[in-house]
Amino acid sequence: MCIRDRGNYLYNETGFRLKPVIGAISYREFLYCFAHKVFCVALFLRHPKSDIYGFQVDLIHEVIGHAPLFADPDFADLLQEIGWQSLGTGQGKLTRLAALYSLIVETGFVKENGQFKSIGGIINASPNDMQEIIAGKDRYEPMPKLKQIPATKELSFASIHKDIQYYIEDPKQVIESLRNDQDYPSSFKLFYDSERKIIDADRHLVTDKMIKGEQFKFD
């Protein structure tokens, strides 16, 4: 299971890169990487006898549960949009964006031709959880608007994935919803330069780090 090979494949398909990390990182760091089309990958590997998702994400969860989704151009654009929306935002919106990511990418479904298909990494990387979903009597509901998502840090499988399965129909619709969200209007637009791998804005922005004389470079 070579991360480099899968990372090269994803980069050729959608421009996303895989970046190995050791230990947990904050929501803001995690989503910031999405804005740069980078997915942070855990290096931990579960015990061979365990096929149940744990609270510690591992390499199987990342490569089997998530990586295929990053190869889809529309979903890759959605994940980058979630990252863009996190840049410079307050803690309330940031926590809701992290919850939106979890509801879509960890436990979400997509509705295609009247059928619900799992796109959640937690479900797809765990045969036991997949069987529970198939055998269950849970109801499916459309993904709520960002403001309607509780700003909670409890984003575990048990806390957000009980009797309701949330779904989306088109990643592009979610992108437009985020860009036109009147609850969180933005005064600037962002653009991604794939050649230089940097994010630019349609106007000059002054950040707290600039004011303090600090410089931040993403590698």
Side-chain angles (χ1 to χ4, degrees):
M1 185 181 293
C2 180
I3 296 178
R4 178 178 298 176
D5 291 343
R6 283 154 178 77
N8 290 339
Y9 174 80
L10 289 181
Y11 185 76
N12 291 332
E13 292 294 315
T14 61
F16 252 92
R17 294 171 288 159
L18 300 181
K19 185 179 180 69
V21 296
I22 300 177
I25 61 176
S26 69
Y27 293 154
R28 193 173 294 278
E29 291 172 309
F30 186 68
L31 297 183
Y32 174 86
C33 289
F34 275 169
H36 287 270
K37 306 192 82 169
V38 172
F39 178 50
C40 295
V41 178
L43 298 179
F44 167 80
L45 192 61
R46 71 186 70 180
H47 192 277
K49 294 183 179 180
S50 175
D51 60 359
I52 302 175
Y53 171 80
F55 294 105
Q56 171 97 39
V57 297
D58 71 342
L59 192 58
I60 294 177
H61 172 84
E62 309 284 38
V63 174
I64 297 179
H66 287 314
L69 197 62
F70 287 81
D72 183 287
D74 290 338
F75 276 103
D77 289 344
L78 171 56
L79 295 171
Q80 186 178 32
E81 182 66 32
I82 292 176
W84 278 354
Q85 293 287 331
S86 74
L87 299 180
T89 192
Q91 189 61 38
K93 181 180 178 181
L94 178 71
T95 307
R96 287 186 169 90
L97 285 169
L100 177 66
Y101 162 83
S102 188
L103 289 172
I104 295 176
V105 184
E106 295 291 1
T107 62
F109 287 75
V110 62
K111 185 177 181 181
E112 293 182 348
N113 301 320
Q115 294 184 327
F116 296 98
K117 301 179 181 179
S118 170
I119 56 174
I122 289 178
I123 302 171
N124 295 342
S126 173
N128 282 4
D129 290 327
M130 178 67 77
Q131 288 300 321
E132 288 185 11
I133 296 297
I134 294 175
K137 298 180 181 179
D138 302 336
R139 66 181 187 274
Y140 295 90
E141 292 190 3
M143 191 67 59
K145 291 186 62 176
L146 190 62
K147 189 71 173 181
Q148 297 171 336
I149 299 175
T152 174
K153 293 183 179 180
E154 299 299 326
L155 302 176
S156 68
F157 184 91
S159 63
I160 65 172
H161 200 76
K162 294 181 179 179
D163 300 325
I164 301 175
Q165 316 297 344
Y166 290 105
Y167 69 88
I168 64 174
E169 296 192 54
D170 186 349
K172 295 179 181 178
Q173 292 179 352
V174 183
I175 292 175
E176 288 303 312
S177 176
L178 289 171
R179 291 179 178 176
N180 300 317
D181 192 343
Q182 298 302 311
D183 294 318
Y184 297 103
S186 177
S187 59
F188 58 90
K189 293 183 179 180
L190 298 175
F191 307 91
Y192 183 68
D193 188 328
S194 59
E195 294 293 330
R196 296 185 294 164
K197 296 182 176 60
I198 63 171
I199 295 174
D200 205 353
D202 62 350
R203 66 198 65 189
H204 179 69
L205 302 175
V206 177
T207 68
D208 290 341
K209 289 186 179 293
M210 292 179 181
I211 295 173
K212 295 176 183 178
E214 300 177 2
Q215 293 183 345
F216 186 86
K217 181 180 179 182
F218 181 83
D219 184 7

